[in-house]
Short mmCIF file of all heavy atoms in Angstrom, two decimals:
data_model
loop_
_atom_site.label_atom_id
_atom_site.label_comp_id
_atom_site.label_asym_id
_atom_site.label_seq_id
_atom_site.Cartn_x
_atom_site.Cartn_y
_atom_site.Cartn_z
N THR A 41 -2.06 45.56 -58.91
CA THR A 41 -2.98 46.31 -59.77
C THR A 41 -2.22 47.53 -60.30
O THR A 41 -1.61 48.26 -59.54
CB THR A 41 -4.22 46.80 -58.98
OG1 THR A 41 -4.86 45.64 -58.39
CG2 THR A 41 -5.20 47.51 -59.91
N ASP A 42 -2.33 47.71 -61.66
CA ASP A 42 -1.63 48.85 -62.27
C ASP A 42 -2.52 50.09 -62.28
O ASP A 42 -3.67 50.03 -61.85
CB ASP A 42 -1.06 48.51 -63.64
CG ASP A 42 -2.14 48.27 -64.69
OD1 ASP A 42 -3.33 48.61 -64.42
OD2 ASP A 42 -1.82 47.73 -65.76
N LEU A 43 -2.00 51.16 -62.85
CA LEU A 43 -2.72 52.44 -62.82
C LEU A 43 -3.98 52.43 -63.71
O LEU A 43 -4.82 53.28 -63.58
CB LEU A 43 -1.77 53.55 -63.29
CG LEU A 43 -0.61 53.82 -62.34
CD1 LEU A 43 0.34 54.85 -62.95
CD2 LEU A 43 -1.12 54.33 -61.00
N SER A 44 -4.02 51.41 -64.60
CA SER A 44 -5.19 51.33 -65.49
C SER A 44 -6.20 50.33 -64.99
O SER A 44 -7.16 49.99 -65.69
CB SER A 44 -4.75 50.94 -66.92
OG SER A 44 -3.83 51.90 -67.43
N GLY A 45 -5.98 49.75 -63.82
CA GLY A 45 -6.91 48.80 -63.24
C GLY A 45 -6.67 47.39 -63.62
O GLY A 45 -7.43 46.51 -63.27
N ASN A 46 -5.62 47.13 -64.39
CA ASN A 46 -5.25 45.76 -64.72
C ASN A 46 -4.59 45.11 -63.49
O ASN A 46 -3.85 45.79 -62.75
CB ASN A 46 -4.30 45.70 -65.90
CG ASN A 46 -4.87 46.39 -67.11
OD1 ASN A 46 -5.97 46.06 -67.58
ND2 ASN A 46 -4.15 47.44 -67.63
N SER A 47 -4.84 43.82 -63.29
CA SER A 47 -4.27 43.17 -62.12
C SER A 47 -3.66 41.80 -62.47
O SER A 47 -4.06 41.20 -63.49
CB SER A 47 -5.30 43.01 -61.02
OG SER A 47 -6.39 42.15 -61.46
N ALA A 48 -2.75 41.40 -61.69
CA ALA A 48 -2.13 40.07 -61.82
C ALA A 48 -1.85 39.53 -60.41
O ALA A 48 -1.80 40.31 -59.45
CB ALA A 48 -0.85 40.16 -62.65
N THR A 49 -1.73 38.25 -60.30
CA THR A 49 -1.53 37.61 -59.00
C THR A 49 -0.34 36.64 -59.04
O THR A 49 0.02 36.13 -60.12
CB THR A 49 -2.73 36.83 -58.49
OG1 THR A 49 -3.04 35.81 -59.41
CG2 THR A 49 -3.95 37.78 -58.38
N CYS A 50 0.24 36.40 -57.88
CA CYS A 50 1.22 35.30 -57.70
C CYS A 50 1.08 34.83 -56.25
O CYS A 50 0.54 35.53 -55.43
CB CYS A 50 2.61 35.76 -58.05
SG CYS A 50 3.23 37.11 -56.96
N ASP A 51 1.57 33.65 -56.06
CA ASP A 51 1.46 33.05 -54.71
C ASP A 51 2.85 33.01 -54.04
O ASP A 51 3.87 32.69 -54.67
CB ASP A 51 0.93 31.64 -54.78
CG ASP A 51 -0.58 31.61 -55.13
OD1 ASP A 51 -1.25 32.62 -54.88
OD2 ASP A 51 -1.04 30.59 -55.68
N ALA A 52 2.81 33.30 -52.75
CA ALA A 52 4.03 33.19 -51.95
C ALA A 52 3.78 32.22 -50.79
O ALA A 52 2.62 32.12 -50.35
CB ALA A 52 4.46 34.54 -51.42
N ILE A 53 4.80 31.56 -50.33
CA ILE A 53 4.70 30.68 -49.14
C ILE A 53 5.16 31.48 -47.94
O ILE A 53 6.33 31.89 -47.88
CB ILE A 53 5.51 29.39 -49.28
CG1 ILE A 53 5.00 28.58 -50.51
CG2 ILE A 53 5.41 28.56 -48.03
CD1 ILE A 53 3.57 28.14 -50.41
N VAL A 54 4.29 31.68 -47.00
CA VAL A 54 4.65 32.36 -45.74
C VAL A 54 4.69 31.27 -44.66
O VAL A 54 3.70 30.63 -44.33
CB VAL A 54 3.59 33.41 -45.35
CG1 VAL A 54 3.99 34.04 -44.00
CG2 VAL A 54 3.53 34.50 -46.41
N THR A 55 5.91 31.01 -44.18
CA THR A 55 6.13 29.99 -43.16
C THR A 55 6.09 30.67 -41.78
O THR A 55 6.93 31.53 -41.49
CB THR A 55 7.45 29.25 -43.36
OG1 THR A 55 7.45 28.66 -44.65
CG2 THR A 55 7.62 28.20 -42.30
N VAL A 56 5.17 30.25 -40.98
CA VAL A 56 5.01 30.82 -39.62
C VAL A 56 5.70 29.93 -38.62
O VAL A 56 5.47 28.71 -38.58
CB VAL A 56 3.51 30.95 -39.25
CG1 VAL A 56 3.37 31.50 -37.81
CG2 VAL A 56 2.82 31.87 -40.24
N GLN A 57 6.57 30.50 -37.84
CA GLN A 57 7.33 29.78 -36.87
C GLN A 57 7.07 30.29 -35.46
O GLN A 57 6.74 31.47 -35.27
CB GLN A 57 8.86 29.86 -37.16
CG GLN A 57 9.29 29.25 -38.48
CD GLN A 57 10.76 29.39 -38.70
OE1 GLN A 57 11.39 30.27 -38.16
NE2 GLN A 57 11.33 28.50 -39.52
N ASP A 58 7.21 29.37 -34.45
CA ASP A 58 7.14 29.76 -33.05
C ASP A 58 8.47 29.40 -32.40
O ASP A 58 8.78 28.24 -32.24
CB ASP A 58 5.99 29.02 -32.35
CG ASP A 58 5.98 29.24 -30.84
OD1 ASP A 58 6.59 30.22 -30.38
OD2 ASP A 58 5.38 28.40 -30.14
N VAL A 59 9.22 30.41 -32.05
CA VAL A 59 10.57 30.17 -31.42
C VAL A 59 10.57 30.60 -29.98
O VAL A 59 11.64 30.70 -29.35
CB VAL A 59 11.65 30.91 -32.23
CG1 VAL A 59 11.76 30.33 -33.64
CG2 VAL A 59 11.36 32.40 -32.27
N ILE A 60 9.37 30.83 -29.43
CA ILE A 60 9.28 31.26 -28.03
C ILE A 60 9.07 30.01 -27.14
O ILE A 60 8.11 29.24 -27.36
CB ILE A 60 8.13 32.24 -27.80
CG1 ILE A 60 8.37 33.51 -28.65
CG2 ILE A 60 7.97 32.56 -26.34
CD1 ILE A 60 7.22 34.49 -28.59
N ASN A 61 9.96 29.76 -26.21
CA ASN A 61 9.83 28.63 -25.30
C ASN A 61 8.64 28.80 -24.37
O ASN A 61 8.32 29.90 -23.95
CB ASN A 61 11.08 28.48 -24.46
CG ASN A 61 12.28 28.02 -25.24
OD1 ASN A 61 12.14 27.38 -26.29
ND2 ASN A 61 13.47 28.32 -24.76
N PRO A 62 8.00 27.65 -24.03
CA PRO A 62 6.95 27.72 -22.99
C PRO A 62 7.61 28.06 -21.68
O PRO A 62 8.82 28.00 -21.52
CB PRO A 62 6.34 26.35 -23.04
CG PRO A 62 7.44 25.48 -23.53
CD PRO A 62 8.21 26.31 -24.52
N VAL A 63 6.81 28.38 -20.69
CA VAL A 63 7.28 28.63 -19.33
C VAL A 63 6.71 27.53 -18.43
O VAL A 63 5.52 27.39 -18.25
CB VAL A 63 6.82 30.01 -18.82
CG1 VAL A 63 7.30 30.20 -17.39
CG2 VAL A 63 7.38 31.10 -19.73
N ALA A 64 7.66 26.69 -17.95
CA ALA A 64 7.24 25.59 -17.07
C ALA A 64 7.09 26.07 -15.64
O ALA A 64 7.97 26.74 -15.10
CB ALA A 64 8.26 24.49 -17.13
N ALA A 65 5.99 25.71 -15.02
CA ALA A 65 5.73 26.03 -13.60
C ALA A 65 5.43 24.72 -12.87
O ALA A 65 4.62 23.91 -13.35
CB ALA A 65 4.58 27.00 -13.45
N CYS A 66 6.09 24.54 -11.74
CA CYS A 66 5.97 23.24 -11.00
C CYS A 66 5.16 23.43 -9.71
O CYS A 66 5.32 24.42 -9.02
CB CYS A 66 7.35 22.70 -10.68
SG CYS A 66 8.21 22.01 -12.10
N THR A 67 4.39 22.38 -9.43
CA THR A 67 3.64 22.29 -8.13
C THR A 67 3.94 20.93 -7.54
O THR A 67 3.77 19.89 -8.19
CB THR A 67 2.13 22.44 -8.37
OG1 THR A 67 1.89 23.70 -9.00
CG2 THR A 67 1.40 22.38 -7.06
N PRO A 68 4.37 20.88 -6.27
CA PRO A 68 4.60 19.59 -5.62
C PRO A 68 3.27 18.83 -5.39
O PRO A 68 2.22 19.49 -5.24
CB PRO A 68 5.26 19.95 -4.30
CG PRO A 68 4.90 21.38 -4.06
CD PRO A 68 4.71 22.03 -5.39
N ILE A 69 3.32 17.52 -5.44
CA ILE A 69 2.12 16.72 -5.19
C ILE A 69 2.43 15.59 -4.23
O ILE A 69 3.60 15.23 -3.99
CB ILE A 69 1.52 16.14 -6.49
CG1 ILE A 69 2.52 15.13 -7.13
CG2 ILE A 69 1.13 17.21 -7.50
CD1 ILE A 69 1.88 14.33 -8.24
N THR A 70 1.38 15.01 -3.68
CA THR A 70 1.48 13.84 -2.80
C THR A 70 0.73 12.68 -3.45
O THR A 70 -0.40 12.86 -3.92
CB THR A 70 0.94 14.11 -1.40
OG1 THR A 70 1.69 15.17 -0.80
CG2 THR A 70 1.01 12.88 -0.54
N ILE A 71 1.34 11.50 -3.48
CA ILE A 71 0.71 10.33 -4.08
C ILE A 71 0.69 9.19 -3.09
O ILE A 71 1.40 9.17 -2.10
CB ILE A 71 1.44 9.86 -5.36
CG1 ILE A 71 2.90 9.48 -5.03
CG2 ILE A 71 1.41 10.95 -6.44
CD1 ILE A 71 3.64 8.85 -6.20
N GLN A 72 -0.26 8.25 -3.34
CA GLN A 72 -0.41 7.07 -2.48
C GLN A 72 -0.02 5.80 -3.25
O GLN A 72 -0.51 5.56 -4.37
CB GLN A 72 -1.88 6.93 -2.02
CG GLN A 72 -2.44 8.18 -1.37
CD GLN A 72 -1.85 8.49 -0.03
OE1 GLN A 72 -1.33 7.60 0.61
NE2 GLN A 72 -1.91 9.75 0.36
N LEU A 73 0.85 5.00 -2.66
CA LEU A 73 1.21 3.74 -3.29
C LEU A 73 -0.01 2.81 -3.37
O LEU A 73 -0.91 2.89 -2.51
CB LEU A 73 2.30 3.03 -2.50
CG LEU A 73 3.69 3.71 -2.42
CD1 LEU A 73 4.64 2.89 -1.62
CD2 LEU A 73 4.25 3.93 -3.84
N ASN A 74 -0.04 1.96 -4.38
CA ASN A 74 -1.15 1.04 -4.50
C ASN A 74 -0.84 -0.28 -3.72
O ASN A 74 0.16 -0.35 -3.03
CB ASN A 74 -1.46 0.72 -5.97
CG ASN A 74 -0.22 0.16 -6.68
OD1 ASN A 74 0.60 -0.48 -6.11
ND2 ASN A 74 -0.17 0.41 -8.00
N ALA A 75 -1.68 -1.26 -3.84
CA ALA A 75 -1.54 -2.50 -3.04
C ALA A 75 -0.27 -3.25 -3.41
O ALA A 75 0.22 -4.06 -2.61
CB ALA A 75 -2.73 -3.39 -3.26
N THR A 76 0.32 -3.00 -4.55
CA THR A 76 1.55 -3.67 -4.92
C THR A 76 2.81 -2.90 -4.51
O THR A 76 3.90 -3.28 -4.76
CB THR A 76 1.61 -3.85 -6.46
OG1 THR A 76 1.71 -2.59 -7.13
CG2 THR A 76 0.42 -4.64 -6.97
N GLY A 77 2.55 -1.73 -3.84
CA GLY A 77 3.70 -0.96 -3.35
C GLY A 77 4.34 -0.12 -4.44
O GLY A 77 5.50 0.27 -4.31
N THR A 78 3.59 0.22 -5.47
CA THR A 78 4.15 1.04 -6.59
C THR A 78 3.18 2.10 -6.96
O THR A 78 2.02 2.09 -6.56
CB THR A 78 4.46 0.16 -7.81
OG1 THR A 78 3.25 -0.44 -8.29
CG2 THR A 78 5.45 -0.95 -7.48
N TYR A 79 3.65 3.04 -7.76
CA TYR A 79 2.77 4.10 -8.30
C TYR A 79 3.42 4.67 -9.55
O TYR A 79 4.63 4.93 -9.55
CB TYR A 79 2.54 5.22 -7.31
CG TYR A 79 1.42 6.16 -7.71
CD1 TYR A 79 0.12 5.99 -7.29
CD2 TYR A 79 1.69 7.25 -8.57
CE1 TYR A 79 -0.90 6.84 -7.67
CE2 TYR A 79 0.67 8.09 -8.95
CZ TYR A 79 -0.61 7.90 -8.50
OH TYR A 79 -1.64 8.78 -8.91
N THR A 80 2.64 4.84 -10.60
CA THR A 80 3.11 5.50 -11.83
C THR A 80 2.27 6.75 -12.06
O THR A 80 1.03 6.67 -12.00
CB THR A 80 2.96 4.54 -13.04
OG1 THR A 80 3.77 3.38 -12.83
CG2 THR A 80 3.45 5.24 -14.33
N LEU A 81 2.93 7.87 -12.26
CA LEU A 81 2.22 9.14 -12.41
C LEU A 81 1.25 9.04 -13.60
O LEU A 81 1.57 8.53 -14.67
CB LEU A 81 3.21 10.26 -12.65
CG LEU A 81 4.06 10.66 -11.42
CD1 LEU A 81 4.98 11.83 -11.84
CD2 LEU A 81 3.21 11.07 -10.25
N THR A 82 0.04 9.56 -13.37
CA THR A 82 -0.95 9.60 -14.47
C THR A 82 -0.92 10.95 -15.15
O THR A 82 -0.30 11.90 -14.70
CB THR A 82 -2.34 9.35 -13.87
OG1 THR A 82 -2.68 10.49 -13.00
CG2 THR A 82 -2.41 8.10 -13.05
N ALA A 83 -1.66 11.04 -16.25
CA ALA A 83 -1.76 12.31 -16.98
C ALA A 83 -2.36 13.37 -16.06
O ALA A 83 -1.98 14.54 -16.07
CB ALA A 83 -2.62 12.16 -18.23
N GLY A 84 -3.33 12.95 -15.22
CA GLY A 84 -3.91 13.90 -14.29
C GLY A 84 -2.91 14.40 -13.28
O GLY A 84 -2.92 15.62 -12.93
N ASN A 85 -2.05 13.55 -12.77
CA ASN A 85 -1.01 13.96 -11.84
C ASN A 85 -0.13 15.03 -12.51
O ASN A 85 0.17 16.07 -11.89
CB ASN A 85 -0.12 12.80 -11.43
CG ASN A 85 -0.81 11.71 -10.64
OD1 ASN A 85 -0.55 10.55 -10.83
ND2 ASN A 85 -1.73 12.13 -9.78
N ILE A 86 0.31 14.75 -13.70
CA ILE A 86 1.26 15.61 -14.40
C ILE A 86 0.62 16.96 -14.74
O ILE A 86 1.24 18.02 -14.65
CB ILE A 86 1.80 14.92 -15.67
CG1 ILE A 86 2.57 13.64 -15.23
CG2 ILE A 86 2.69 15.84 -16.45
CD1 ILE A 86 3.01 12.77 -16.38
#
Side-chain angles (χ1 to χ4, degrees):
T41 304
D42 67 13
L43 295 173
S44 300
N46 304 304
S47 63
T49 61
C50 63
D51 290 335
I53 300 298
V54 177
T55 302
V56 178
Q57 297 179 337
D58 172 19
V59 296
I60 299 175
N61 290 334
V63 178
C66 286
T67 302
I69 65 168
T70 298
I71 61 172
Q72 307 292 336
L73 294 180
N74 58 28
T76 66
T78 62
Y79 191 95
T80 299
L81 291 180
T82 65
N85 295 142
I86 297 172

